[in-house]
Amino acid sequence: MIKVIIIGSGNVAQHLINAFQTTQNSGHPIELVQVYARNKETLLHLVAPNKITTNYSDLQEAHLYILAVSDDALPEVSNALPFSNRLVAHTSGSAPITVLNDRNKRAVFYPLQTFTKNKAITFKTIPICLETENSADFETVKQIASLLSDQAIAINSQQRKALHVAAVFANNFTNHLYQLANAICQEHQVPFGILEPLIQETAQKIQHITPQQAQTGPAKRKDATTIEAHLEFLTDQNQQNIYTLLTQSIQKNGKKL
Amino acid sequence: MIKVIIIGSGNVAQHLINAFQTTQNSGHPIELVQVYARNKETLLHLVAPNKITTNYSDLQEAHLYILAVSDDALPEVSNALPFSNRLVAHTSGSAPITVLNDRNKRAVFYPLQTFTKNKAITFKTIPICLETENSADFETVKQIASLLSDQAIAINSQQRKALHVAAVFANNFTNHLYQLANAICQEHQVPFGILEPLIQETAQKIQHITPQQAQTGPAKRKDATTIEAHLEFLTDQNQQNIYTLLTQSIQKNGKKL
């Protein structure tokens, strides 16, 4: 039986807790033996009270400790662990593996997904990006990640950094474009929901063809009349700036300036 | 039996031809009686040869003529039609209804979707935005659109313009962000496919919560350290400019400048 302990009570921690408990309950040889939270109440809806500790000195023995806390808190939390030479992983996309205190054997266990509170998610399809300081530990994290997901992948710190930046474009910035589209719809009394099939199809297209092949629209076909009409239609300077910059970028076709 | 004729042989025309033929073949009271193309060959894989004409003067009688041609070609093509007082619609998101020659009764039949060559699409879920010059004609276009799609919606020219601009943000610009994410992945030898579950989840999220509620990431949580690290990591000036502008826009939370 592989024993795992999760440190943290935020969004990622809760989704991981849920994934581990689901995996455990379906009979896999894994056990979430304990969870650490500064405030016990935040996890009572998810975890049995006797499995939650608010005290680092009460932490039990486990094969892997997963620190699902904010990047800023990683040094402090990894310093606070009252043991050494055990396997400790963080879940951050951007923090290097070396942010962890080197008293313990360091690792990264980064699930590449956007987690929303109160929205269940199937871990099976989420890529989990793995890295270990010592190659001897890789099999352990790989084995654990493989129980949660079909995509347990070795990703080094530099690649992970690239993935994290790319994810900001593909997720955070994309979602912001949805928000701008929503604002434009609201301003002109059109329900944003009309755009939903388009948004889903845009995302699904790139499962079959590259984004470059999928590119359409006035910028791509250098339709100056429509571009000008759109810029005139927009009443917001910020929206105009974004329209202009992204139009130029499409016309450069991703080429460097 | 409602008779429809499509003028055009491009991407939208072909998807419409396909949708009408599928609807007709499944027994609905609609008939695609004829298609006009400048070049017969472009449609021979889709339409029986005797149904394709390359000559405006051969156009038969129909309840609705759909001009699925580029915005630029709309005046010329609607001028070339050798009849008057019939119902003629264009399929453009941005052209006003008045772009059509007023010899005929004018309408708009705008399917709001991104059409890819050789990629089949289910018309049933595609919103078709409808407008007619004369209210007496609205029932005709509505009836026809309703056979293709579950969402046949009255949208006036101003609303359609807003939708078209919003669609550029939600589709063209979003796809370009995918392309930038892809470029960043390639530069650092990470397969872009790892981002796919994230991209799908980002698009699906907004079916349940607003884009504003769904926003996450360093810009949203004002994580200056990560933002700075990302900007330093990017080697491309254009990518840096887009990163900066969209980060600022997220932090303004859609507020005007």
Side-chain angles (χ1 to χ4, degrees):
Chain A
M1 187 67 78
I2 309 169
K3 291 179 175 179
V4 173
I5 288 177
I6 290 174
I7 320 266
S9 58
N11 210 358
V12 174
Q14 295 198 17
H15 275 95
L16 278 172
I17 289 168
N18 200 33
F20 275 111
Q21 290 189 147
T22 308
T23 308
Q24 176 179 346
N25 291 341
S26 60
H28 289 286
I30 192 135
E31 191 188 349
L32 183 68
V33 290
Q34 203 179 23
V35 175
Y36 169 92
R38 266 181 306 192
N39 183 345
K40 207 166 179 163
E41 264 87 67
T42 53
L43 293 180
L44 284 175
H45 64 292
L46 258 184
V47 187
N50 63 333
K51 281 200 169 182
I52 309 173
T53 178
T54 58
N55 202 328
Y56 287 120
S57 59
D58 287 338
L59 282 174
Q60 298 171 26
E61 186 120 19
H63 296 93
L64 177 64
Y65 298 80
I66 299 178
L67 273 50
V69 299
S70 73
D71 289 14
D72 291 347
L74 283 171
E76 186 196 326
V77 172
S78 71
N79 290 343
L81 299 178
F83 48 72
S84 61
N85 216 26
R86 299 190 193 166
L87 190 55
V88 173
H90 73 61
T91 59
S92 162
S94 48
I97 194 169
T98 49
V99 75
L100 299 171
N101 187 306
D102 64 2
R103 235 190 10 249
N104 283 292
K105 295 182 287 179
R106 302 181 284 192
V108 177
F109 192 97
Y110 167 49
L112 182 59
Q113 187 49 282
T114 166
F115 296 103
T116 315
K117 242 174 211 159
N118 306 321
K119 182 176 182 301
I121 200 158
T122 315
F123 245 84
K124 273 286 157 215
T125 56
I126 299 179
I128 304 183
C129 304
L130 303 172
E131 184 180 4
T132 54
E133 189 179 12
N134 311 305
S135 55
D137 297 322
F138 191 78
E139 258 320 297
T140 308
V141 294
K142 169 104 180 173
Q143 197 184 349
I144 294 170
S146 299
L147 288 175
L148 300 191
S149 164
D150 295 333
Q151 283 200 72
I153 313 165
I155 294 284
N156 65 37
S157 283
Q158 183 71 3
Q159 288 175 314
R160 184 158 40 83
K161 215 163 173 176
L163 269 175
H164 193 251
V165 179
V168 168
F169 281 84
N171 165 24
N172 303 151
F173 290 167
T174 288
N175 183 76
H176 185 60
L177 292 182
Y178 299 159
Q179 189 181 339
L180 295 178
N182 190 9
I184 295 164
C185 285
Q186 282 185 342
E187 190 182 342
H188 298 275
Q189 283 86 47
V190 193
F192 176 60
I194 299 183
L195 289 173
E196 252 175 39
L198 178 68
I199 286 171
Q200 303 309 323
E201 174 70 11
T202 305
Q204 279 160 32
K205 248 187 190 183
I206 53 146
Q207 297 186 319
H208 312 286
I209 54 178
T210 68
Q212 196 157 348
Q213 291 168 327
Q215 191 64 55
T216 56
K220 167 75 177 179
R221 52 172 201 273
K222 300 202 161 70
D223 177 349
T225 314
T226 302
I227 292 168
E228 206 177 302
H230 283 179
L231 283 170
E232 218 165 278
F233 186 82
L234 292 170
T235 59
D236 179 277
Q237 179 71 51
N238 181 42
Q239 289 170 4
Q240 286 171 348
N241 292 345
I242 291 170
Y243 190 103
T244 302
L245 186 60
L246 289 174
T247 293
Q248 288 168 350
S249 182
I250 289 171
Q251 296 187 337
K252 279 196 285 272
N253 194 19
K255 284 189 201 78
K256 296 200 181 196
L257 275 174
Chain B
M1 187 68 75
I2 310 169
K3 292 179 175 181
V4 174
I5 288 177
I6 291 175
I7 320 265
S9 59
N11 210 359
V12 174
Q14 295 198 17
H15 275 95
L16 278 172
I17 289 168
N18 200 32
F20 275 110
Q21 292 190 147
T22 307
T23 308
Q24 177 179 346
N25 292 341
S26 61
H28 289 286
I30 192 134
E31 191 188 351
L32 183 67
V33 291
Q34 203 178 24
V35 175
Y36 169 92
R38 265 181 306 191
N39 182 343
K40 208 165 180 165
E41 264 87 68
T42 54
L43 293 179
L44 284 175
H45 64 293
L46 257 184
V47 187
N50 64 332
K51 281 198 169 182
I52 310 173
T53 178
T54 57
N55 202 328
Y56 288 121
S57 58
D58 287 340
L59 282 174
Q60 298 172 28
E61 184 119 22
H63 296 94
L64 176 65
Y65 298 80
I66 300 179
L67 274 50
V69 300
S70 72
D71 289 15
D72 290 348
L74 283 171
E76 186 196 325
V77 172
S78 71
N79 289 345
L81 298 177
F83 47 73
S84 60
N85 216 27
R86 300 190 192 167
L87 190 56
V88 172
H90 73 62
T91 59
S92 163
S94 48
I97 195 168
T98 50
V99 77
L100 299 171
N101 187 307
D102 65 1
R103 239 193 1 253
N104 284 293
K105 297 181 287 181
R106 303 181 285 193
V108 178
F109 193 97
Y110 168 49
L112 183 58
Q113 186 51 280
T114 167
F115 296 103
T116 315
K117 241 171 213 163
N118 305 322
K119 183 179 182 298
I121 200 158
T122 316
F123 244 85
K124 273 285 157 214
T125 56
I126 299 179
I128 302 182
C129 304
L130 304 172
E131 183 180 4
T132 53
E133 189 179 14
N134 310 306
S135 55
D137 298 321
F138 191 79
E139 259 320 297
T140 308
V141 294
K142 169 107 181 173
Q143 198 183 350
I144 294 170
S146 300
L147 289 174
L148 302 190
S149 165
D150 294 334
Q151 283 200 72
I153 314 165
I155 294 284
N156 65 36
S157 282
Q158 183 72 1
Q159 289 175 314
R160 185 158 38 83
K161 215 164 174 177
L163 269 176
H164 193 249
V165 179
V168 168
F169 281 84
N171 165 25
N172 304 151
F173 290 167
T174 288
N175 183 75
H176 184 61
L177 293 183
Y178 299 159
Q179 189 182 339
L180 296 178
N182 189 9
I184 295 164
C185 285
Q186 283 185 339
E187 190 181 342
H188 297 277
Q189 283 85 49
V190 194
F192 176 59
I194 299 184
L195 289 172
E196 252 174 39
L198 178 68
I199 287 172
Q200 303 310 323
E201 173 71 12
T202 305
Q204 279 160 32
K205 248 186 188 184
I206 54 147
Q207 297 186 319
H208 312 285
I209 54 179
T210 67
Q212 196 157 348
Q213 292 167 326
Q215 191 64 54
T216 56
K220 169 72 178 183
R221 50 171 203 274
K222 300 204 161 70
D223 177 349
T225 315
T226 301
I227 292 168
E228 207 177 301
H230 283 180
L231 283 170
E232 219 164 277
F233 186 82
L234 291 170
T235 58
D236 180 279
Q237 179 71 51
N238 181 43
Q239 289 170 5
Q240 286 171 348
N241 292 344
I242 292 169
Y243 190 103
T244 302
L245 187 60
L246 289 174
T247 293
Q248 288 168 351
S249 183
I250 289 171
Q251 295 188 338
K252 282 196 284 271
N253 194 18
K255 283 190 202 78
K256 296 201 185 197
L257 277 173

PDB file of all heavy atoms in Angstrom, chain B residues 233-257:
ATOM      1  N   PHE B 233      11.211  34.819 -19.312  1.00  0.00           N
ATOM      2  CA  PHE B 233      11.342  33.513 -19.973  1.00  0.00           C
ATOM      3  C   PHE B 233      11.051  33.624 -21.472  1.00  0.00           C
ATOM      4  O   PHE B 233      11.675  32.941 -22.289  1.00  0.00           O
ATOM      5  CB  PHE B 233      10.364  32.529 -19.318  1.00  0.00           C
ATOM      6  CG  PHE B 233      10.494  31.122 -19.816  1.00  0.00           C
ATOM      7  CD1 PHE B 233      11.474  30.271 -19.313  1.00  0.00           C
ATOM      8  CD2 PHE B 233       9.630  30.630 -20.784  1.00  0.00           C
ATOM      9  CE1 PHE B 233      11.596  28.967 -19.768  1.00  0.00           C
ATOM     10  CE2 PHE B 233       9.746  29.327 -21.250  1.00  0.00           C
ATOM     11  CZ  PHE B 233      10.729  28.497 -20.732  1.00  0.00           C
ATOM     12  N   LEU B 234      10.107  34.501 -21.821  1.00  0.00           N
ATOM     13  CA  LEU B 234       9.729  34.644 -23.235  1.00  0.00           C
ATOM     14  C   LEU B 234      10.863  35.289 -24.012  1.00  0.00           C
ATOM     15  O   LEU B 234      11.406  36.307 -23.595  1.00  0.00           O
ATOM     16  CB  LEU B 234       8.450  35.487 -23.365  1.00  0.00           C
ATOM     17  CG  LEU B 234       7.164  34.844 -22.839  1.00  0.00           C
ATOM     18  CD1 LEU B 234       6.037  35.879 -22.794  1.00  0.00           C
ATOM     19  CD2 LEU B 234       6.754  33.656 -23.697  1.00  0.00           C
ATOM     20  N   THR B 235      11.194  34.710 -25.164  1.00  0.00           N
ATOM     21  CA  THR B 235      12.316  35.238 -25.947  1.00  0.00           C
ATOM     22  C   THR B 235      11.837  36.088 -27.115  1.00  0.00           C
ATOM     23  O   THR B 235      12.630  36.666 -27.834  1.00  0.00           O
ATOM     24  CB  THR B 235      13.156  34.082 -26.532  1.00  0.00           C
ATOM     25  OG1 THR B 235      12.290  33.276 -27.344  1.00  0.00           O
ATOM     26  CG2 THR B 235      13.752  33.232 -25.426  1.00  0.00           C
ATOM     27  N   ASP B 236      10.523  36.172 -27.285  1.00  0.00           N
ATOM     28  CA  ASP B 236       9.959  36.832 -28.456  1.00  0.00           C
ATOM     29  C   ASP B 236       9.262  38.126 -28.031  1.00  0.00           C
ATOM     30  O   ASP B 236       8.382  38.122 -27.164  1.00  0.00           O
ATOM     31  CB  ASP B 236       8.965  35.862 -29.113  1.00  0.00           C
ATOM     32  CG  ASP B 236       8.324  36.439 -30.343  1.00  0.00           C
ATOM     33  OD1 ASP B 236       7.354  37.211 -30.177  1.00  0.00           O
ATOM     34  OD2 ASP B 236       8.774  36.128 -31.450  1.00  0.00           O
ATOM     35  N   GLN B 237       9.647  39.212 -28.660  1.00  0.00           N
ATOM     36  CA  GLN B 237       9.122  40.532 -28.291  1.00  0.00           C
ATOM     37  C   GLN B 237       7.603  40.595 -28.457  1.00  0.00           C
ATOM     38  O   GLN B 237       6.890  41.144 -27.617  1.00  0.00           O
ATOM     39  CB  GLN B 237       9.796  41.591 -29.167  1.00  0.00           C
ATOM     40  CG  GLN B 237       9.333  43.014 -28.913  1.00  0.00           C
ATOM     41  CD  GLN B 237       9.847  43.531 -27.577  1.00  0.00           C
ATOM     42  OE1 GLN B 237      11.023  43.443 -27.289  1.00  0.00           O
ATOM     43  NE2 GLN B 237       8.951  44.054 -26.744  1.00  0.00           N
ATOM     44  N   ASN B 238       7.125  40.009 -29.556  1.00  0.00           N
ATOM     45  CA  ASN B 238       5.691  40.015 -29.822  1.00  0.00           C
ATOM     46  C   ASN B 238       4.928  39.255 -28.734  1.00  0.00           C
ATOM     47  O   ASN B 238       3.896  39.708 -28.235  1.00  0.00           O
ATOM     48  CB  ASN B 238       5.447  39.392 -31.202  1.00  0.00           C
ATOM     49  CG  ASN B 238       3.991  39.366 -31.593  1.00  0.00           C
ATOM     50  OD1 ASN B 238       3.278  40.350 -31.384  1.00  0.00           O
ATOM     51  ND2 ASN B 238       3.535  38.246 -32.144  1.00  0.00           N
ATOM     52  N   GLN B 239       5.448  38.090 -28.342  1.00  0.00           N
ATOM     53  CA  GLN B 239       4.817  37.327 -27.267  1.00  0.00           C
ATOM     54  C   GLN B 239       4.841  38.115 -25.958  1.00  0.00           C
ATOM     55  O   GLN B 239       3.868  38.117 -25.193  1.00  0.00           O
ATOM     56  CB  GLN B 239       5.535  35.984 -27.086  1.00  0.00           C
ATOM     57  CG  GLN B 239       5.280  35.004 -28.224  1.00  0.00           C
ATOM     58  CD  GLN B 239       6.184  33.778 -28.151  1.00  0.00           C
ATOM     59  OE1 GLN B 239       6.952  33.598 -27.207  1.00  0.00           O
ATOM     60  NE2 GLN B 239       6.099  32.929 -29.165  1.00  0.00           N
ATOM     61  N   GLN B 240       5.945  38.816 -25.700  1.00  0.00           N
ATOM     62  CA  GLN B 240       6.042  39.636 -24.486  1.00  0.00           C
ATOM     63  C   GLN B 240       4.995  40.752 -24.499  1.00  0.00           C
ATOM     64  O   GLN B 240       4.338  41.013 -23.484  1.00  0.00           O
ATOM     65  CB  GLN B 240       7.437  40.250 -24.377  1.00  0.00           C
ATOM     66  CG  GLN B 240       8.526  39.263 -23.976  1.00  0.00           C
ATOM     67  CD  GLN B 240       9.927  39.869 -24.092  1.00  0.00           C
ATOM     68  OE1 GLN B 240      10.094  40.941 -24.670  1.00  0.00           O
ATOM     69  NE2 GLN B 240      10.913  39.165 -23.558  1.00  0.00           N
ATOM     70  N   ASN B 241       4.844  41.402 -25.666  1.00  0.00           N
ATOM     71  CA  ASN B 241       3.860  42.493 -25.770  1.00  0.00           C
ATOM     72  C   ASN B 241       2.446  41.987 -25.493  1.00  0.00           C
ATOM     73  O   ASN B 241       1.663  42.634 -24.802  1.00  0.00           O
ATOM     74  CB  ASN B 241       3.910  43.125 -27.161  1.00  0.00           C
ATOM     75  CG  ASN B 241       5.207  43.870 -27.408  1.00  0.00           C
ATOM     76  OD1 ASN B 241       5.951  44.168 -26.470  1.00  0.00           O
ATOM     77  ND2 ASN B 241       5.503  44.162 -28.670  1.00  0.00           N
ATOM     78  N   ILE B 242       2.126  40.823 -26.066  1.00  0.00           N
ATOM     79  CA  ILE B 242       0.789  40.260 -25.862  1.00  0.00           C
ATOM     80  C   ILE B 242       0.610  39.858 -24.402  1.00  0.00           C
ATOM     81  O   ILE B 242      -0.433  40.123 -23.797  1.00  0.00           O
ATOM     82  CB  ILE B 242       0.561  39.069 -26.819  1.00  0.00           C
ATOM     83  CG1 ILE B 242       0.482  39.580 -28.270  1.00  0.00           C
ATOM     84  CG2 ILE B 242      -0.697  38.293 -26.457  1.00  0.00           C
ATOM     85  CD1 ILE B 242       0.512  38.494 -29.321  1.00  0.00           C
ATOM     86  N   TYR B 243       1.631  39.253 -23.834  1.00  0.00           N
ATOM     87  CA  TYR B 243       1.573  38.855 -22.418  1.00  0.00           C
ATOM     88  C   TYR B 243       1.294  40.083 -21.542  1.00  0.00           C
ATOM     89  O   TYR B 243       0.419  40.067 -20.681  1.00  0.00           O
ATOM     90  CB  TYR B 243       2.878  38.174 -22.001  1.00  0.00           C
ATOM     91  CG  TYR B 243       2.816  37.515 -20.634  1.00  0.00           C
ATOM     92  CD1 TYR B 243       2.679  36.142 -20.501  1.00  0.00           C
ATOM     93  CD2 TYR B 243       2.869  38.275 -19.467  1.00  0.00           C
ATOM     94  CE1 TYR B 243       2.606  35.538 -19.252  1.00  0.00           C
ATOM     95  CE2 TYR B 243       2.790  37.689 -18.216  1.00  0.00           C
ATOM     96  CZ  TYR B 243       2.662  36.314 -18.115  1.00  0.00           C
ATOM     97  OH  TYR B 243       2.574  35.725 -16.861  1.00  0.00           O
ATOM     98  N   THR B 244       2.027  41.149 -21.811  1.00  0.00           N
ATOM     99  CA  THR B 244       1.889  42.359 -20.989  1.00  0.00           C
ATOM    100  C   THR B 244       0.501  42.976 -21.133  1.00  0.00           C
ATOM    101  O   THR B 244      -0.164  43.294 -20.143  1.00  0.00           O
ATOM    102  CB  THR B 244       2.960  43.399 -21.400  1.00  0.00           C
ATOM    103  OG1 THR B 244       4.248  42.796 -21.238  1.00  0.00           O
ATOM    104  CG2 THR B 244       2.871  44.649 -20.550  1.00  0.00           C
ATOM    105  N   LEU B 245       0.047  43.123 -22.379  1.00  0.00           N
ATOM    106  CA  LEU B 245      -1.242  43.785 -22.615  1.00  0.00           C
ATOM    107  C   LEU B 245      -2.393  42.983 -22.020  1.00  0.00           C
ATOM    108  O   LEU B 245      -3.303  43.545 -21.383  1.00  0.00           O
ATOM    109  CB  LEU B 245      -1.445  43.987 -24.127  1.00  0.00           C
ATOM    110  CG  LEU B 245      -2.664  44.811 -24.532  1.00  0.00           C
ATOM    111  CD1 LEU B 245      -2.599  46.215 -23.941  1.00  0.00           C
ATOM    112  CD2 LEU B 245      -2.798  44.900 -26.045  1.00  0.00           C
ATOM    113  N   LEU B 246      -2.376  41.655 -22.193  1.00  0.00           N
ATOM    114  CA  LEU B 246      -3.484  40.843 -21.676  1.00  0.00           C
ATOM    115  C   LEU B 246      -3.429  40.749 -20.149  1.00  0.00           C
ATOM    116  O   LEU B 246      -4.468  40.710 -19.489  1.00  0.00           O
ATOM    117  CB  LEU B 246      -3.487  39.458 -22.332  1.00  0.00           C
ATOM    118  CG  LEU B 246      -3.899  39.478 -23.815  1.00  0.00           C
ATOM    119  CD1 LEU B 246      -3.749  38.109 -24.456  1.00  0.00           C
ATOM    120  CD2 LEU B 246      -5.345  39.969 -23.967  1.00  0.00           C
ATOM    121  N   THR B 247      -2.224  40.748 -19.599  1.00  0.00           N
ATOM    122  CA  THR B 247      -2.093  40.760 -18.136  1.00  0.00           C
ATOM    123  C   THR B 247      -2.690  42.045 -17.572  1.00  0.00           C
ATOM    124  O   THR B 247      -3.468  42.018 -16.603  1.00  0.00           O
ATOM    125  CB  THR B 247      -0.611  40.620 -17.734  1.00  0.00           C
ATOM    126  OG1 THR B 247      -0.161  39.312 -18.111  1.00  0.00           O
ATOM    127  CG2 THR B 247      -0.413  40.800 -16.237  1.00  0.00           C
ATOM    128  N   GLN B 248      -2.356  43.174 -18.184  1.00  0.00           N
ATOM    129  CA  GLN B 248      -2.917  44.456 -17.733  1.00  0.00           C
ATOM    130  C   GLN B 248      -4.440  44.449 -17.859  1.00  0.00           C
ATOM    131  O   GLN B 248      -5.156  44.926 -16.988  1.00  0.00           O
ATOM    132  CB  GLN B 248      -2.339  45.608 -18.562  1.00  0.00           C
ATOM    133  CG  GLN B 248      -0.883  45.922 -18.241  1.00  0.00           C
ATOM    134  CD  GLN B 248      -0.255  46.853 -19.261  1.00  0.00           C
ATOM    135  OE1 GLN B 248      -0.847  47.141 -20.310  1.00  0.00           O
ATOM    136  NE2 GLN B 248       0.953  47.335 -18.976  1.00  0.00           N
ATOM    137  N   SER B 249      -4.924  43.894 -18.968  1.00  0.00           N
ATOM    138  CA  SER B 249      -6.362  43.892 -19.206  1.00  0.00           C
ATOM    139  C   SER B 249      -7.095  43.034 -18.169  1.00  0.00           C
ATOM    140  O   SER B 249      -8.170  43.398 -17.694  1.00  0.00           O
ATOM    141  CB  SER B 249      -6.641  43.383 -20.624  1.00  0.00           C
ATOM    142  OG  SER B 249      -8.021  43.432 -20.904  1.00  0.00           O
ATOM    143  N   ILE B 250      -6.498  41.901 -17.806  1.00  0.00           N
ATOM    144  CA  ILE B 250      -7.098  41.053 -16.764  1.00  0.00           C
ATOM    145  C   ILE B 250      -7.125  41.819 -15.443  1.00  0.00           C
ATOM    146  O   ILE B 250      -8.115  41.787 -14.712  1.00  0.00           O
ATOM    147  CB  ILE B 250      -6.306  39.737 -16.603  1.00  0.00           C
ATOM    148  CG1 ILE B 250      -6.521  38.837 -17.823  1.00  0.00           C
ATOM    149  CG2 ILE B 250      -6.714  39.001 -15.321  1.00  0.00           C
ATOM    150  CD1 ILE B 250      -5.617  37.610 -17.870  1.00  0.00           C
ATOM    151  N   GLN B 251      -6.055  42.538 -15.164  1.00  0.00           N
ATOM    152  CA  GLN B 251      -5.974  43.239 -13.872  1.00  0.00           C
ATOM    153  C   GLN B 251      -6.945  44.408 -13.815  1.00  0.00           C
ATOM    154  O   GLN B 251      -7.401  44.784 -12.740  1.00  0.00           O
ATOM    155  CB  GLN B 251      -4.533  43.658 -13.610  1.00  0.00           C
ATOM    156  CG  GLN B 251      -3.661  42.404 -13.450  1.00  0.00           C
ATOM    157  CD  GLN B 251      -2.256  42.691 -13.005  1.00  0.00           C
ATOM    158  OE1 GLN B 251      -1.759  43.794 -13.175  1.00  0.00           O
ATOM    159  NE2 GLN B 251      -1.604  41.690 -12.436  1.00  0.00           N
ATOM    160  N   LYS B 252      -7.258  44.973 -14.974  1.00  0.00           N
ATOM    161  CA  LYS B 252      -8.310  46.000 -15.022  1.00  0.00           C
ATOM    162  C   LYS B 252      -9.683  45.373 -14.876  1.00  0.00           C
ATOM    163  O   LYS B 252     -10.674  46.074 -14.709  1.00  0.00           O
ATOM    164  CB  LYS B 252      -8.253  46.752 -16.360  1.00  0.00           C
ATOM    165  CG  LYS B 252      -7.160  47.788 -16.438  1.00  0.00           C
ATOM    166  CD  LYS B 252      -7.395  48.745 -17.589  1.00  0.00           C
ATOM    167  CE  LYS B 252      -7.052  48.112 -18.910  1.00  0.00           C
ATOM    168  NZ  LYS B 252      -5.655  48.297 -19.298  1.00  0.00           N
ATOM    169  N   ASN B 253      -9.718  44.017 -15.051  1.00  0.00           N
ATOM    170  CA  ASN B 253     -10.971  43.274 -14.923  1.00  0.00           C
ATOM    171  C   ASN B 253     -12.031  43.793 -15.896  1.00  0.00           C
ATOM    172  O   ASN B 253     -13.200  43.956 -15.545  1.00  0.00           O
ATOM    173  CB  ASN B 253     -11.481  43.340 -13.487  1.00  0.00           C
ATOM    174  CG  ASN B 253     -12.572  42.317 -13.248  1.00  0.00           C
ATOM    175  OD1 ASN B 253     -12.720  41.359 -14.010  1.00  0.00           O
ATOM    176  ND2 ASN B 253     -13.353  42.528 -12.209  1.00  0.00           N
ATOM    177  N   GLY B 254     -11.586  44.078 -17.140  1.00  0.00           N
ATOM    178  CA  GLY B 254     -12.543  44.497 -18.154  1.00  0.00           C
ATOM    179  C   GLY B 254     -13.001  45.937 -18.005  1.00  0.00           C
ATOM    180  O   GLY B 254     -13.796  46.414 -18.799  1.00  0.00           O
ATOM    181  N   LYS B 255     -12.467  46.630 -16.984  1.00  0.00           N
ATOM    182  CA  LYS B 255     -12.857  48.044 -16.844  1.00  0.00           C
ATOM    183  C   LYS B 255     -12.225  48.864 -17.965  1.00  0.00           C
ATOM    184  O   LYS B 255     -11.124  48.593 -18.405  1.00  0.00           O
ATOM    185  CB  LYS B 255     -12.378  48.580 -15.490  1.00  0.00           C
ATOM    186  CG  LYS B 255     -13.239  48.127 -14.333  1.00  0.00           C
ATOM    187  CD  LYS B 255     -12.850  48.881 -13.064  1.00  0.00           C
ATOM    188  CE  LYS B 255     -13.296  48.093 -11.840  1.00  0.00           C
ATOM    189  NZ  LYS B 255     -12.393  46.964 -11.532  1.00  0.00           N
ATOM    190  N   LYS B 256     -12.944  49.897 -18.373  1.00  0.00           N
ATOM    191  CA  LYS B 256     -12.406  50.755 -19.425  1.00  0.00           C
ATOM    192  C   LYS B 256     -11.179  51.494 -18.906  1.00  0.00           C
ATOM    193  O   LYS B 256     -11.060  51.759 -17.723  1.00  0.00           O
ATOM    194  CB  LYS B 256     -13.469  51.766 -19.890  1.00  0.00           C
ATOM    195  CG  LYS B 256     -14.651  51.089 -20.534  1.00  0.00           C
ATOM    196  CD  LYS B 256     -15.436  52.017 -21.438  1.00  0.00           C
ATOM    197  CE  LYS B 256     -16.674  51.282 -21.949  1.00  0.00           C
ATOM    198  NZ  LYS B 256     -17.254  51.935 -23.108  1.00  0.00           N
ATOM    199  N   LEU B 257     -10.278  51.836 -19.811  1.00  0.00           N
ATOM    200  CA  LEU B 257      -9.066  52.588 -19.433  1.00  0.00           C
ATOM    201  C   LEU B 257      -9.423  53.974 -18.916  1.00  0.00           C
ATOM    202  O   LEU B 257     -10.329  54.606 -19.450  1.00  0.00           O
ATOM    203  CB  LEU B 257      -8.156  52.734 -20.654  1.00  0.00           C
ATOM    204  CG  LEU B 257      -7.240  51.552 -20.950  1.00  0.00           C
ATOM    205  CD1 LEU B 257      -6.551  51.788 -22.282  1.00  0.00           C
ATOM    206  CD2 LEU B 257      -6.196  51.409 -19.860  1.00  0.00           C
TER     207      LEU B 257
END
